[in-house]
Amino acid sequence: MSDSMTFALPEDADQALLVGRVWRDAPHQGPALVVVRDGRVVDISANIACMADLLERDDAAELVATAEGEDLGPVGALLERSLAKTPEAPYLLAPCDVQAIKACGVTFAVSLMERVIEEQAGGDPGRAGELREELKQVIGGDLSKIVPGSEAAMALKAELQTRGAWSQYMEVGIGPDAEVFTKAQPLSAVGFGRGVGLHPASEWNNPEPEIVLAVDAAGRPRGASLGNDVNLRDVEGRSALLLGKAKDNNASCAIGPFIRLFDERFTLDTVRRARVSLRIEGADDGFVLEDGSDMAEISRDPLDLVRQTLGAHHQYPDGFVLFLGTMFSPIQDRDGAGQGFTHHLGDTVTIATPSLGALVNRVDRSDRLPPWNYGIRQWMADQARRQ
């Protein structure tokens, strides 16, 4: 493997059950299911058609470890090709396919504060700093210590309502019900190395580094990956009813590089203990931002978020992937005092954690990136042709 690519894989990659998807031009054009084994990429599509099917199988770990398939070469070479501006096949796709792509919002106290600020600023980044200080005075204490839905949370809600400081974001942040929304459509997410898109109307935006659970149709988490839930702060700040415009645009959802299946070495407790790092590197101004967050600070347990997504009230027959939420809302001034952070086109965003590796994407506008034109019908046609 190329030494420059080792950062993109889990630190114990030689013992990790890594599954993903690549785009192939031959012998059949279309996506293929792959595993990483002994530093090599193996196409196992002849054994199983899609990621959703694999995650339903109780013998998924055995299949990943033993299934025969075509050797596509070193995983380092695959990662390097995927990072190229115009990649040559095979290159990485988002590791999910027909699953629903869901996301949870306001699951960390820091992101809760920033959502309230967006709302009260009406999408104006110049007001964020002043509002941040005002809210600290009104709210007081440490919101991360509040258990959502608890008596203490409801007492705080009553007090904030009395002061006129209650917010719809507070409702989902410390109330009994989590915010769960549809982030993107099946097959629309981009993978490692691809451009992530900002709506051209947005002037205040940021990445949202998150861990993403891969969940089967029965609601069992089967593995995890990394994700960027790209966010438009000015759009959602104008109105929460613009969430769709703020969240679901061409290339606005990135997942990868692989899904790591749960086993005795990598469990849901590994996710609960994970530290997620963020690095943003500006191409035009030399700007660098580095930060980290601990999943231990999440206000709702990942299993609670899964249960609030799937149950008697809602089923997902093809399974789903679930963004668990982020505590990152970068506030470091970039373009002037009091203006906070916003992306520049060409930024490189790296989201990483030792157990999952790193997801790398470059920032561009949604209307300048390749359009999403590969949907369910084309996927079905390619599957039939392959078989």
Side-chain angles (χ1 to χ4, degrees), residues 146-155 157 166 170-178 299-300 304 308:
I146 299 291
V147 177
S150 66
E151 289 185 10
M154 295 303 97
K157 175 180 179 177
W166 188 246
M170 288 286 186
E171 182 64 47
V172 295
I174 65 175
D177 300 315
S299 60
R300 301 181 192 268
D304 176 47
Q308 295 212 34

Side-chain angles (χ1 to χ4, degrees), residues 101-147:
I101 302 175
K102 308 293 287 186
C104 299
V106 201
T107 55
F108 287 83
V110 172
S111 61
L112 166 57
M113 284 283 290
E114 292 303 314
R115 288 294 176 270
V116 176
I117 289 165
E118 287 169 17
E119 179 185 38
Q120 296 196 6
D124 178 4
R127 297 187 58 206
E130 177 185 351
L131 287 167
R132 192 172 291 113
E133 292 305 314
E134 289 179 4
L135 281 170
K136 287 179 181 177
Q137 294 297 320
V138 172
I139 294 172
D142 184 355
L143 282 174
S144 67
K145 306 298 184 185
I146 299 291
V147 177

Side-chain angles (χ1 to χ4, degrees), residues 253-324:
C253 175
I255 303 174
F258 300 97
I259 291 173
R260 181 171 183 176
L261 300 183
F262 289 132
D263 60 8
E264 65 278 359
R265 294 184 57 85
F266 178 67
T267 68
L268 203 54
D269 282 337
T270 313
V271 170
R272 292 183 176 109
R273 295 190 300 266
R275 180 168 178 78
V276 179
S277 66
L278 168 68
R279 180 177 173 88
I280 303 170
E281 301 169 80
D284 61 350
D285 60 354
F287 176 86
V288 176
L289 183 151
E290 290 187 297
D291 205 346
S293 71
D294 293 301
M295 282 294 295
E297 295 183 28
I298 197 168
S299 60
R300 301 181 192 268
D301 187 75
L303 282 180
D304 176 47
L305 295 173
V306 171
R307 285 190 290 265
Q308 295 212 34
T309 305
L310 177 147
H313 66 290
H314 204 313
Q315 296 77 46
Y316 294 89
D318 298 314
F320 61 97
V321 294
L322 183 64
F323 283 73
L324 295 178

Side-chain angles (χ1 to χ4, degrees), residues 31-48:
L33 196 66
V34 299
V35 301
V36 178
R37 218 183 276 151
D38 298 324
R40 312 284 296 182
V41 181
V42 181
D43 181 345
I44 63 167
S45 300
N47 300 272
I48 192 159

